[in-house]
Amino acid sequence: WAVTRLRAGAVPPGRPVERRPVGSSAERRASSAMVFLGLRYPTPASRRVATDHGTKRGFNYPPEHVGASRHSPPPPSSSRKEPASDARSPFRLSVPYVADSTFTQVGGGAEDFAAAKRAVSTWKHFQLGWSEVAPGTGASSGDPVCVCACVLGVWIRNPLKVVYREETKDKFALAHGCLEGHMLAGEEAFVVEKKSDGTVWFGVNTFSKPAHPLAALSYPAVRLLQWRFARDATKAVHREVRDARTGKKSTS
């Protein structure tokens, strides 16, 4: 699972070994080039390797952008079910990220709001078969998260960290940011909101850009996967709300 670095040649006997300081530019370049791929289903140990690597090295996007997903567009009004436009939003960044915002109505009333919030806080929106987060993963600010995705038979382990978890009477937001070792750089926020008319909406707000040559080379496919995730995550939350309403135990 881990990437092995090979040294071009051995040091001749008697020659002092050159020691590079930790955190040198060469070390940082090697760190940013490391991603976590494998053909086998990720084990708990292999997930920890990814999150430990990312946690040690930190976010792979600028500190001033950490938490910027708070300013993503809000849900549309109850009379519109199409994704919200960011035309009126102050969400703007000075680097070439791609920003996405998708909201869908998933229910109505206090019970549906509680069910949707519970689904997001336990990462049920990631249990999609081709994408997952390990059960029991924390959802508090600072908690590490390993998102695993199977693409064309290859399992990718992407390390992230919860940036914020915010809750009011009618709104719940959980966001995580990409750490070193992630294929992308940026942030993703999951929002559950109960509007004044009682309708409950689930949204996925992201800003991202490639952080590794593999992601840059396959960027059209990456964008397709992002769209697929938003669609499937919305379906998963809607299913959790429906099952809670009808008293069925979720099987996801």
Side-chain angles (χ1 to χ4, degrees):
W1 282 97
V3 176
T4 302
R5 301 178 192 168
L6 300 179
R7 185 170 295 177
V11 178
R15 176 179 293 182
V17 177
E18 178 183 359
R19 299 185 182 276
R20 292 178 298 178
V22 175
S24 67
S25 59
E27 290 250 347
R28 289 194 296 269
R29 286 194 298 271
S31 172
S32 62
M34 181 179 289
V35 292
F36 301 91
L37 310 174
L39 297 177
R40 297 181 180 178
Y41 180 76
T43 64
S46 68
R47 298 170 198 243
R48 282 195 301 272
V49 169
T51 54
D52 287 350
H53 171 92
T55 300
K56 180 179 179 181
R57 291 159 178 80
F59 293 113
N60 64 0
Y61 58 112
E64 60 268 26
H65 297 161
V66 175
S69 59
R70 286 186 177 95
H71 308 297
S72 297
S77 67
S78 60
S79 62
R80 297 169 52 201
K81 295 187 178 182
E82 66 270 18
S85 169
D86 67 349
R88 300 175 303 280
S89 172
F91 179 60
R92 295 289 186 272
L93 294 173
S94 60
V95 293
Y97 293 108
V98 173
D100 297 304
S101 182
T102 302
F103 275 93
T104 302
Q105 184 178 342
V106 295
E111 292 185 359
D112 286 355
F113 174 71
K117 183 177 66 174
R118 185 167 56 250
V120 173
S121 64
T122 55
W123 306 102
K124 291 295 181 68
H125 55 302
F126 271 97
Q127 314 310 326
L128 306 176
W130 64 274
S131 174
E132 67 169 50
V133 168
T137 296
S140 299
S141 180
D143 283 342
V145 181
C146 184
V147 173
C148 299
C150 187
V151 181
L152 298 177
V154 177
W155 281 98
I156 305 170
R157 292 168 292 146
N158 281 317
L160 304 102
K161 184 167 73 172
V162 176
V163 177
Y164 60 85
R165 174 177 175 153
E166 298 174 344
E167 184 172 358
T168 63
K169 179 182 177 182
D170 296 322
K171 183 177 180 180
F172 176 81
L174 177 66
H176 57 192
C178 300
L179 301 174
E180 290 289 351
H182 199 295
M183 298 282 283
L184 299 176
E187 200 166 288
E188 190 168 42
F190 310 103
V191 181
V192 178
E193 185 167 347
K194 182 163 70 72
K195 305 287 283 185
S196 58
D197 63 356
T199 57
V200 176
W201 296 75
F202 169 70
V204 181
N205 293 322
T206 67
F207 63 88
S208 64
K209 63 178 181 177
H212 190 274
L214 287 177
L217 290 172
S218 60
Y219 198 55
V222 170
R223 294 293 293 149
L224 182 62
L225 287 173
Q226 288 180 312
W227 173 84
R228 180 187 178 188
F229 170 75
R231 180 199 64 184
D232 291 356
T234 299
K235 289 181 178 179
V237 172
H238 198 180
R239 182 173 59 251
E240 291 290 325
V241 170
R242 183 187 65 236
D243 289 350
R245 187 188 304 145
T246 58
K248 296 179 181 178
K249 184 177 181 181
S250 172
T251 58
S252 59

